[in-house]
Each structure stands twice: as structure tokens, then as C-alpha cells.
Amino acid sequence: MQFSSAPDPNKDHYYRLVPDSDPSSIKQSDPIKEEKYEESPQKREATDESQEDRTTPQGVAVNNRRMVRFNNYALAAAILASTNSILLGYDIGVMSGAVLYIQDNLKITSTQVEVLVGSLNVCSLIGSLASGKTSDCIGRRYTIVISAITFLIGALLMGLAPSFLFLMAGRVVAGIGVGYSLMIAPVYTSEISPAMSRGFLSSLPEVFINFGILLGYISNYALSGLPENINWRLMLGLAALPAIVVALGVMAMPESPHWLVMKGRLAEAKQVLIKISDTEEEAELRLVEMTKDVSNSGSAASESVWKELLFKPSRPLRRILIAAIGVNFFMQASGNDAVVYYSPEVFRDAGISSKKQLVGVTVIMGIAKTSFVLVSALFLDHFGRRPLLLLGSSGMAVSLALLGFGSKYLEQSNSNPTWAIVLCVVAVCADVSFFSIGLGPVTWVYSSEIFPTKYRAQGSSLAISVNRLVSGIVSMTFLSISNAISFGGMFFAFAGIMALGTLFFYLFLPETKGKSLEEIGVLFEDKVHDHRRRRPVDV
């Protein structure tokens, strides 16, 4: 499918392929319609919960309990944007196996392994902090291109590295590209997605991250038989190929309509909206909501955005920051990245000694991780964010506790019983699977959809910077702390963190399923406000 922001004179200027959102519900929730504010909050909530079947302007009944169907143009654009996330996933997956051969070939210590592995996450802070301003200045689409090109350079440097320092230089450059990718892909997909399918489309970056991790594991397994001075270089250097494809493919995507409205390019925004909406009427309604939102929040180019976010946020904006930063913090404090990076070390400690077997077990883990993130993405708009997040985080707490128990038993046993080894393998697979059900996809969806337009790019970059910082700290200290308190002790600590995370999600993260980006601000209003008009306060 070819993308273009310009209208085709030979076509109707919009795709009426399948119902992907409910224009009548958008009209009903239009913030500039006075009728909406005449309803009490209780009546409105009851109506939202009880309304199962709705009717579009074309008279087509839409059952909210059925699987959401998608506008093909929006789906294709979201897929193209999300393919950038393959690069991050591939790097995470391939490094877990490549480091086994790098350690032997370059004769590096376990501390250098931690620095090598964690440096990508720490350096991604640069990209994630810069991506907000960059995407507001040059647009979401070109920021994705910058991300792919930066990662391409990093992959080539790592693949050709003759020494540890050269390899570290490649990791630093690749880390900057990762920071850009983690912020911009979810923001872009959330901004082009209709409300009723935004959960699935915004979770595609996590789907592709997991697909990339699986490709990295497969690459490890396929290339492990080559000489040690060649195999890890090929494993890391192969990431350059998808980076080239992503950089070229993204150029065919349309620009985000929210960004175009922010820049005052309303005609171009409308043409994009016509293509990613089910009807032209729906596109016009979405354009009105975006224009109203941008008008209320002010110019995103204002230098006061960071000042408002960091030093004097309004109470609703403070709640949004707490929710976004909190979910990103717990995503990485769960230890998921460390489990993925160091799973061969964990399995070796459990009694699996062959490198080929270690890499093979990680492939099984990758298959489980990818399968469950696909299931979660498909049902995210059906069940909502909160149920899947709470299920995933509580499941991780139990899985990590079982992994801690199995590891502790093996530490104190001289015989390495088979049941304990199997328990550890199953617990690791369960942990990454529950992560893929909840925190994995929901973090990116939630972070990208709860900020108002003015703050979305830079607010998301701030939240993802916390994500990267915590990930870097966990990755760079995992082996050292595990040596001090054992793997079992480390996994018990992660289990406790996830129990706290589950409580945090229950208390601070409201449900956003089915709401437009402009409506979500209402969820974070002050508790004492004008219920009749239900206007966001200061946001």
C-alpha cells in the first residue's frame, strides 16, 4: 500500500474498508458539545458500561464485545512505524547469546559484561530525552528515520569491532537510536489510531520488540556453530539490514495528524484523518477534537513545556506524570530486561552447561514471550488496559517467587535435581509471558495516550527516560548483586517489587479503553470540579 498525504483526484479520499471506530460515540463525547455536560457523571458512566450495541452513521451495528476491526491504512502505518522496534528487540535478544562468545573471544570480565550489556540502556537516555523536542520540531515520521539511521551506524560499529572499546562505541551509538525508537513509535501509533483500536495499534511496538528478541535468539542458535571470532560479529552486525529497511519504509508513511494540527497545517491533517478514519464525517469530528485540544493547551513549541512538566505541573498533569513514570519504572524494576539479557547465566546456574543448550532454551523463552504479547495486543481493546496489567504484574510476582525458590534450592543442592531445573525454566518462561500480557504492551500504550497534545512528545520522552535509566541500572548491577545475594535472592526481590507494582497500578492507573486522546484528560481531573460540565482542570 502506498502512503501519501496528498489527496488522489481519482479516489474518494478515504478508505471505507471496515469499521474501526464509532463515529457516533465520538460525536457523543465531543468536548465542545454542551449536551454532554448536562449528564451527571454517574449517568454517563452507567451509559458507557451498559451500552453494548451502537450504530454508526451508516446504520451498521457495532457490538463492543466483539473483536475490534481495523482501518487498513491506519494499521499499515502503525506496522511500518513499529518495525523500528525490531531493532531494539533484536539487540536485546542477540546480545544475551553473543555475550557468551564475546566474553571468551575478547577475554572480558563479568564487570565488563555488565557494562557492555547495560550501556545500551543508559545511553538510550540521550535519545529518549532528545526525541521529544526533535519530534515536535521535525515531525514524528522523520524522528523514526533518525532512530533507524543511528541504530544502523551502531550495528555496523559493533559488527566490525576489533576490540572491547570499539564494541562499546557501537553500543553507545545504538543506544541513542534505541532511545529515539522507544519514545517515537508508541507516540506516532497512538496519534494515528482511532480510539476503539488504539490499544492494539499502540501495542504493536512491543509486539515487534518481542519479535526482534525472538529473531535475536534464533540468530544466536543458527550462528553458534561458527568460530568465536566470527559468530558474535555476525550476530550483532546483522541488525544493520532491518535498520536499512525501516529507514526506507518509514518515508512512505503519513505524518501524524496531531503534529500537523499542532503546526497549523489543518488541511494536511484532514487529508490524513480521512484516510485513517472510517468516514469523512468521523475525520472531521476528530479534527475538531484535535484543534480544540491544541487550542486549549497552547503551543507545544513553547519553551515552558519542560518547566510546566518538571516544576509547576497542574494537579491533573501531576497525576498523569505519576501514572506514566510509575508504569515505566515498574516495567524495568521488574527485572525483565535483566532476565532476558542474562537468561543464559541463570540457566547455566540452574545446571545447563552446554552453550548450544543455553541458547536453545532462550529460543523457547522467546517463543513464549512473543506468543503472549500477540494475545495481549489482540485483546487490549476488548478487556482494557487495567485488567491485563493487573493480571500480568500479579502473575510476574508469583513466577518470580517460584523462580527464586527454585534457584535457592539449586544453590543448596549438590545434585541439581531435574524438577528444580524444570521449575526454573518454566518460571522464567512464565515470568516473561506474564510481562508480555501486561507491562510489556500496556506501558507503551498508556505512556503515549494519557498526555495532552501539548505535553505528549516531551512527557512521553520523560517517562521513557525513567524507563531507560532503571533498565540500565538493573542490567548493569544484576550480576554483581546476584553474586552478593544469589540469583534466588535477586528474584525474590523482583517478586516483592512486582507485588508493590500491582498495588500501584490498582490505585493510580484509570482505565482508558475506548476513549479518544482528548477525552482521557478528564480521567485525571481534580476530584472536586464541575461535574455538570466535566471539563479538564488546567490541562
Side-chain angles (χ1 to χ4, degrees):
M1 177 179 294
Q2 297 295 322
F3 290 101
S4 173
S5 59
D8 185 343
N10 298 320
K11 296 186 177 180
D12 294 333
H13 311 321
Y14 63 89
Y15 293 79
R16 190 177 300 172
L17 297 170
V18 292
D20 60 350
S21 62
D22 183 359
S24 65
S25 67
I26 294 174
K27 187 183 295 183
Q28 180 183 2
S29 61
D30 188 346
I32 65 172
K33 297 289 186 182
E34 286 296 321
E35 292 80 4
K36 167 193 167 185
Y37 303 114
E38 296 302 325
E39 295 182 348
S40 67
Q42 295 83 0
K43 180 178 178 182
R44 186 175 181 224
E45 290 172 5
T47 301
D48 289 342
E49 291 176 359
S50 63
Q51 192 176 26
E52 295 183 8
D53 294 293
R54 301 179 183 178
T55 305
T56 67
Q58 291 79 25
V60 180
V62 179
N63 188 316
N64 286 340
R65 295 190 178 183
R66 294 177 183 171
M67 188 72 70
V68 177
R69 301 174 70 189
F70 309 102
N71 174 285
N72 284 11
Y73 195 91
L75 177 61
I79 288 174
L80 271 178
S82 302
T83 51
N84 206 34
S85 300
I86 290 179
L87 305 178
L88 169 62
Y90 182 84
D91 185 272
I92 293 174
V94 79
M95 184 55 76
S96 68
V99 75
L100 297 174
Y101 304 99
I102 293 172
Q103 193 169 12
D104 290 340
N105 184 234
L106 299 183
K107 309 301 179 186
I108 60 177
T109 65
S110 59
T111 300
Q112 288 176 309
V113 169
E114 286 183 316
V115 172
L116 176 64
V117 170
S119 60
L120 180 129
N121 297 321
V122 173
C123 294
S124 64
L125 273 171
I126 301 171
S128 59
L129 285 171
S131 59
K133 187 67 174 177
T134 302
S135 65
D136 279 343
C137 291
I138 67 173
R140 316 311 197 208
R141 186 175 59 161
Y142 288 111
T143 303
I144 296 175
V145 175
I146 290 176
S147 169
I149 292 174
T150 306
F151 198 93
L152 167 64
I153 296 170
L156 291 175
L157 289 174
M158 288 189 289
L160 299 172
S163 65
F164 177 73
L165 289 178
F166 206 98
L167 184 60
M168 281 297 302
R171 290 289 281 178
V172 169
V173 175
I176 296 173
V178 164
Y180 271 98
S181 174
L182 284 176
M183 175 269 172
I184 194 59
V187 167
Y188 176 85
T189 52
S190 71
E191 290 186 341
I192 66 165
S193 305
M196 299 304 292
S197 58
R198 190 176 60 250
F200 173 80
L201 296 181
S202 296
S203 65
L204 284 177
E206 178 66 15
V207 172
F208 280 90
I209 286 175
N210 281 275
F211 182 64
I213 290 173
L214 180 58
L215 287 179
Y217 289 155
I218 293 173
S219 175
N220 286 336
Y221 190 81
L223 300 174
S224 61
L226 297 176
E228 286 187 349
N229 64 331
I230 297 176
N231 58 8
W232 65 265
R233 288 186 171 86
L234 283 177
M235 293 173 187
L236 298 178
L238 284 175
L241 297 178
I244 295 172
V245 174
V246 169
L248 295 176
V250 167
M251 297 302 295
M253 289 162 36
E255 183 54 85
S256 159
H258 282 77
W259 184 81
L260 292 171
V261 170
M262 227 163 42
K263 295 300 181 182
R265 295 157 61 176
L266 301 184
E268 294 177 60
K270 183 177 179 180
Q271 292 302 322
V272 175
L273 284 168
I274 287 174
K275 294 178 179 179
I276 63 176
S277 301
D278 193 41
T279 66
E280 191 164 354
E281 179 188 13
E282 179 191 340
E284 291 172 354
L285 289 171
R286 292 174 68 181
L287 181 61
V288 168
E289 284 195 338
M290 290 178 193
T291 306
K292 180 76 172 178
D293 185 49
V294 171
S295 176
N296 287 340
S297 60
S299 172
S302 170
E303 295 181 358
S304 67
V305 170
W306 278 115
K307 184 177 180 181
E308 292 177 38
L309 280 171
L310 298 175
F311 301 111
K312 55 174 187 178
S314 62
R315 291 182 67 184
L317 184 57
R318 188 181 303 117
R319 293 189 182 103
I320 290 173
L321 282 168
I322 290 172
I325 291 175
V327 72
N328 277 274
F329 169 82
F330 281 109
M331 179 187 191
Q332 298 302 340
S334 69
N336 178 76
D337 276 10
V339 170
V340 172
Y341 275 127
Y342 298 114
S343 55
E345 295 287 341
V346 174
F347 293 139
R348 181 157 55 188
D349 190 68
I352 302 174
S353 56
S354 167
K355 288 182 181 178
K356 191 82 170 180
Q357 289 177 338
L358 289 173
V359 173
V361 173
T362 60
V363 173
I364 297 173
M365 186 178 73
I367 292 172
K369 191 171 170 61
T370 304
S371 301
F372 279 96
V373 78
L374 283 170
V375 172
S376 178
L378 289 171
F379 287 96
L380 200 54
D381 289 307
H382 183 74
F383 292 112
R385 284 56 158 161
R386 274 173 59 88
L388 293 180
L389 185 59
L390 293 172
L391 171 63
S393 57
S394 57
M396 287 182 71
V398 174
S399 301
L400 287 164
L402 291 174
L403 180 57
F405 171 77
S407 298
K408 275 292 185 183
Y409 188 91
L410 287 168
E411 290 163 16
Q412 300 171 5
S413 172
N414 295 323
S415 59
N416 287 342
T418 302
W419 71 263
I421 296 175
V422 171
L423 175 62
C424 288
V425 173
V426 171
V428 168
C429 291
D431 175 55
V432 298
S433 297
F434 278 115
F435 178 86
S436 293
I437 289 172
L439 271 170
V442 174
T443 297
W444 308 123
V445 175
Y446 214 83
S447 301
S448 62
E449 70 182 359
I450 61 175
F451 284 100
T453 300
K454 176 182 177 180
Y455 307 99
R456 185 168 299 127
Q458 297 184 50
S460 296
S461 72
L462 176 63
I464 291 169
S465 296
V466 172
N467 181 302
R468 294 292 86 203
L469 178 62
V470 177
S471 177
I473 292 172
V474 172
S475 299
M476 295 180 76
T477 60
F478 180 81
L479 290 181
S480 298
I481 297 176
S482 296
N483 289 335
I485 66 174
S486 77
F487 280 125
M490 198 69 177
F491 293 131
F492 280 131
F494 285 144
I497 290 172
M498 286 318 301
L500 291 176
T502 303
L503 180 62
F504 175 86
F505 303 145
Y506 180 80
L507 294 175
F508 293 100
L509 272 65
E511 182 58 69
T512 57
K513 179 187 74 171
K515 298 184 181 296
S516 71
L517 294 177
E518 291 70 35
E519 287 180 296
I520 290 174
V522 175
L523 300 174
F524 294 90
E525 288 181 21
D526 292 324
K527 293 183 183 298
V528 178
H529 63 286
D530 186 348
H531 287 291
R532 184 180 69 84
R533 298 184 67 83
R534 295 180 65 81
R535 290 187 185 277
V537 178
D538 297 330
V539 177

